[in-house]
Amino acid sequence: MNELRMGIGVHSPITALLAEEAGADVLWLGSLEMSTSLGVPDREVLEPHQIAGIVRAIRAVTELPIYVDADTGRGSDELAVLATKLYEEAGADAICVEDNLFPKRNSLDDRFGGRELLAPDAFAARISAMVAARRSLKVIARTEALVAGHGADAAVDRLRCYATAGADALFAQANRASSDQLMSVVAEIAPLRPMVLAPTVLPDTDAETFAACGPVTVLFANVIMRSLVEGTSRILREVMSTRRLTSVSAELSSVERLFELTERISVAGRGPGSGARMSDGRQPDGAKASEQWAVPDVKAVADAPTDRERARSLMVEAAFDYCAGGAGDESGVRRNIDQLDAVMHVPRVLRDVSERSTAAELFGKRLAAPILVTPMGLQALCHPDAEVATATAAHSLGLGFTLSMFSSRPVEDVAPAAPGLWQQIYLLRQREVSWSMLRRAEEAGAGAVVVTVDVPVVGRRSRDARNRFSRFDAAPPAIVQDPSFLDLLGHRRRRTPSLTAADLVSEIFPDPTVSWEDLASLRSRTRLPLIVKGILNPTDAERAVGAGANAVQVSTHGGRQSDRHVASVDALPAVVSAVGGQVPVLFDSGVRNGAHIASALSLGASAVLVGRPVLWGLASGGQEGVAQVLASFVSDLGHAMDLLGAPVITDMSHQLTGSREQA
């Protein structure tokens, strides 16, 4: 007899315990089971951190293998790789991705028309990238060819292609219309590579029938949820109608049974922190002790000087280079940091700092410290939770957050995590898309608008050119779902059917014709505070204030636009002088620690925005990683204030800063 493994779909520790008790060999965290348990549709809307949390919770109570349904991998190779690393660290034993287009629709959802699949070679490349990124996690490649009506031959061809790409196991899915074709695919593929099946549409087929063809794991993917909904609904109706438990008592578990189930976590090898260890302390499948499925020590990661290198180890190389790189020879990136390092402080002594406070206020909103996250796009390249994690971390610490116009997640998703966030706007070639983004930000409760003005053209970034990295293809920005953008895309596709959303983004951004008149047009369209970002010249600062800016932001775009621009900190004093206190002057570029923030504040900045260190925290530990990075900045700033004799932020002034010649 060929090997047969039986799996049950679960969504929580208690359902995992019940599945284990019933004799399951594998636990399947299917998207339908998990989505339904959280009351959301099965359309790839669950946050990766939610899924990772479920994995961790289940891993804490069982040693059984956990297979995670990752749907399409969020529609890109880079995001699929990030999911691979995230779920492996959470304790999963296998990850399954399918060749549907993002966002996927459940295979059994026949309420709509046909579906479109990713090209086989493109999906094979995704599988290869995931295989290269994993340590010992198994990668399962699933085809929806039968569901899409392509037939058994197409399904077989796709699965063979995915096997060649390195998939450890292959998964063929069928719907009601194609159920009679599934067995022929299994007969062809099972002898080639272990298969995974969820024969929901073949309820009368004995699992042994599939195993006769080769090694097979048969998943009863949604039995628990379907039985829970049906049985619970019936019992609750009975209880509510009779107003007593008498008629349903025989169908209810005893409370002693609940005690018995939940107290099982005290056995050896289980419980929080046990990871994927067996009861004798060994790692499953011969994994090395250094490869335990332990949740990273986020504080240690954030505090370590190698935080950037940890981020590099967890990210796709080309994605890391995109985030870390700068324009030209990248001397502009280094100059920003070096010049901040060169600022020396001149402390005041014998000043009571026993009750020091870092609190500040901007546009009527109180901040725990004058620190905000600067706008950075495509944060899903660093972590699947992207801007939601970053915004949540910043808000939890009482700090500000700015959402990039090219964020991975839309403002409607991020704004609840950080009420009053700032929205970045670029003035695109098609202004209506910019105005649409502005309207949506206002409706979501944004507290300010940041218009970035230093990108007449995109800086030449050699790393991206070397890697042939197309940022909008690697991680599609949320702007591609903006209603105005979709209208424009539909109109353009009537003329150019092959036009992709990424192509259109690159067509409309940037716009080299943007002028001061366009800034005035933006000013007239919103009552929100308007920050003009990308100011280095004091004359431009004066003109921005005259055009109605409520603040100016001194910035070199982190050195990503030019390698020959003056460092931000060198431009700051002149801009502060030109503005003359009429509006706040904000600062970014090169900030790597709290001492840098203290320097910028003492040179006249009202607040400081932080960039790359936040990305490294996000990549290293998600929301907690960002929180640790930002918390360390606040702590460092407070320590610097103590040493400078500045008990409150308003005490930070130019008298605390010496010349660079003293450095």
Side-chain angles (χ1 to χ4, degrees):
M1 181 186 302
N2 284 296
E3 180 184 352
L4 170 63
R5 305 181 83 193
M6 303 286 286
I8 293 179
V10 301
H11 62 266
S12 64
I14 193 67
T15 56
L17 288 172
L18 291 171
E20 182 177 32
E21 182 180 72
D25 302 305
V26 169
L27 301 176
W28 170 248
L29 270 63
S31 61
L32 178 59
E33 181 90 11
M34 290 189 291
S35 297
T36 306
S37 75
L38 294 173
V40 298
D42 183 24
R43 295 176 192 154
E44 213 158 354
V45 298
L46 283 190
E47 300 285 353
H49 80 268
Q50 292 175 284
I51 297 174
I54 296 171
V55 174
R56 291 189 185 100
I58 292 175
R59 175 51 69 214
V61 302
T62 182
E63 300 154 5
L64 287 180
I66 299 173
Y67 291 7
V68 181
D69 182 4
D71 293 321
T72 70
R74 296 252 160 179
S76 85
D77 298 354
E78 286 78 7
L79 302 188
V81 164
L82 284 170
T84 299
K85 295 181 177 182
L86 179 68
Y87 299 154
E88 185 165 26
E89 293 232 18
D93 298 271
I95 183 172
C96 179
V97 286
E98 62 193 57
D99 51 13
N100 258 321
L101 292 186
F102 175 83
K104 76 84 176 273
R105 192 170 84 240
N106 187 279
S107 306
L108 303 179
D109 189 349
D110 298 326
R111 296 172 298 170
F112 307 97
R115 62 188 72 216
E116 188 177 354
L117 305 183
L118 194 63
D121 57 344
F123 188 69
R126 183 166 303 166
I127 294 296
S128 295
M130 294 170 67
V131 168
R134 55 90 182 274
R135 291 177 293 180
S136 61
L137 188 79
K138 304 299 183 185
V139 177
I140 304 169
R142 166 171 162 169
T143 184
E144 299 276 296
L146 296 180
V147 178
H150 295 178
D153 289 343
V156 168
D157 289 344
R158 281 177 173 266
L159 291 176
R160 289 184 185 276
C161 177
Y162 305 158
T164 302
D168 300 292
L170 304 172
F171 191 151
Q173 180 68 332
N175 59 5
R176 298 174 184 87
S178 59
S179 59
D180 59 337
Q181 299 175 306
L182 182 59
M183 198 65 224
S184 62
V185 175
V186 177
E188 287 281 338
I189 295 299
L192 169 69
R193 192 66 52 94
M195 290 202 72
V196 177
L197 300 168
T200 308
V201 296
L202 296 173
D204 298 326
T205 303
D206 191 314
E208 295 285 3
T209 304
F210 299 107
C213 300
V216 171
T217 299
V218 175
L219 306 173
F220 295 96
N222 43 55
V223 170
I224 287 181
M225 184 55 64
R226 290 163 66 191
S227 63
L228 187 154
V229 169
E230 185 62 26
T232 302
S233 179
R234 176 175 51 78
I235 288 174
L236 292 180
R237 287 197 302 268
E238 180 70 15
V239 170
M240 295 305 292
S241 65
T242 64
R243 297 176 184 172
R244 65 188 67 192
L245 295 176
T246 306
S247 60
V248 298
S249 292
E251 300 179 64
L252 299 180
S253 166
S254 68
V255 291
E256 288 77 16
R257 168 81 163 131
L258 302 184
F259 299 154
E260 185 269 332
L261 278 170
T262 56
E263 286 169 0
R264 290 183 185 183
I265 64 172
S266 63
V267 302
R270 290 187 180 156
S274 64
R277 290 190 178 195
M278 298 180 180
S279 58
D280 62 1
R282 293 181 294 111
Q283 299 301 312
D285 299 323
K288 298 177 182 178
S290 61
E291 296 177 342
Q292 297 177 21
W293 306 131
V295 181
D297 182 346
V298 178
K299 188 177 191 308
V301 167
D303 287 346
T306 56
D307 192 39
R308 182 177 183 272
E309 293 311 307
R310 175 166 172 80
R312 181 198 291 271
S313 73
L314 292 171
M315 293 176 66
V316 176
E317 182 179 359
F320 175 84
D321 279 349
Y322 169 73
C323 294
D329 63 11
E330 300 190 349
S331 60
V333 178
R334 298 189 297 272
R335 187 178 305 112
N336 279 315
I337 301 171
D338 291 344
Q339 293 301 91
L340 277 167
D341 283 341
V343 177
M344 294 291 106
H345 298 161
V346 181
R348 298 289 304 278
V349 297
L350 299 178
R351 295 168 65 87
D352 185 357
V353 292
S354 61
E355 296 184 3
R356 180 258 302 149
S357 172
T358 60
E361 186 174 298
L362 269 178
F363 307 131
K365 181 177 180 179
R366 187 172 177 81
L367 297 173
I371 301 173
L372 301 92
V373 176
T374 204
M376 295 176 288
L378 307 181
Q379 291 185 26
L381 290 170
C382 298
H383 191 280
D385 298 344
E387 293 84 7
V388 173
T390 310
T392 302
H395 184 67
S396 71
L397 295 170
L399 306 179
F401 175 81
T402 313
L403 184 67
S404 168
M405 190 173 192
F406 297 113
S407 59
S408 297
R409 303 298 301 274
V411 66
E412 291 82 3
D413 286 359
V414 184
L421 58 70
W422 295 359
Q423 173 69 64
Q424 181 204 35
I425 292 290
Y426 282 102
L427 295 170
L428 305 175
R429 289 176 187 265
Q430 296 294 324
R431 294 287 193 270
E432 185 50 43
V433 179
S434 296
W435 307 149
S436 177
M437 294 287 285
L438 175 61
R439 288 192 296 270
R440 289 171 54 209
E442 291 176 329
E443 291 169 1
V449 175
V450 179
V451 56
T452 299
V453 297
D454 60 353
V455 189
V457 295
V458 175
R460 293 178 175 172
R461 299 167 193 166
S462 57
R463 295 200 205 195
D464 295 346
R466 181 176 66 248
N467 294 328
R468 298 182 180 178
F469 183 75
S470 173
R471 61 196 188 284
F472 296 137
D473 285 324
I479 192 175
V480 302
Q481 296 299 322
D482 177 82
S484 181
F485 181 91
L486 289 173
D487 287 346
L488 179 63
L489 181 62
H491 175 73
R492 292 286 186 86
R493 278 179 171 169
R494 286 194 286 273
R495 186 174 62 218
T496 310
S498 62
L499 183 72
T500 67
D503 292 336
L504 183 56
V505 174
S506 296
E507 280 188 18
I508 65 176
F509 170 78
D511 181 1
T513 71
V514 172
S515 67
W516 289 101
E517 287 71 23
D518 295 302
L519 179 64
S521 178
L522 172 60
R523 173 68 284 177
S524 69
R525 289 176 177 272
T526 183
R527 295 182 179 179
L528 292 176
L530 179 64
I531 299 102
V532 179
K533 176 181 181 291
I535 297 294
L536 294 173
N537 191 301
T539 300
D540 286 343
E542 292 176 340
R543 190 162 185 180
V545 174
N550 301 101
V552 295
Q553 186 165 330
V554 176
S555 171
T556 68
H557 220 100
R560 294 172 67 79
Q561 278 299 98
S562 171
D563 54 1
R564 292 298 178 266
H565 282 173
V566 62
S568 275
V569 72
D570 289 336
L572 178 60
V575 170
V576 170
S577 177
V579 168
Q582 299 176 76
V583 300
V585 175
L586 313 182
F587 176 86
D588 74 61
S589 300
V591 178
R592 297 296 183 268
N593 52 56
H596 286 171
I597 295 175
S599 295
L601 294 175
S602 66
L603 289 171
S606 298
V608 175
L609 290 93
V610 182
R612 286 182 178 92
V614 170
L615 294 184
W616 309 148
L618 178 64
S620 299
Q623 176 185 326
E624 293 181 50
V626 174
Q628 290 292 343
V629 168
L630 292 175
S632 71
F633 275 52
V634 176
S635 176
D636 287 351
L637 171 61
H639 184 63
M641 291 171 62
D642 289 342
L643 293 174
L644 288 170
V648 294
I649 286 295
T650 52
D651 288 333
M652 302 293 286
S653 65
H654 203 290
Q655 64 179 321
L656 301 178
T657 307
S659 68
R660 288 182 180 77
E661 285 72 27
Q662 293 176 286

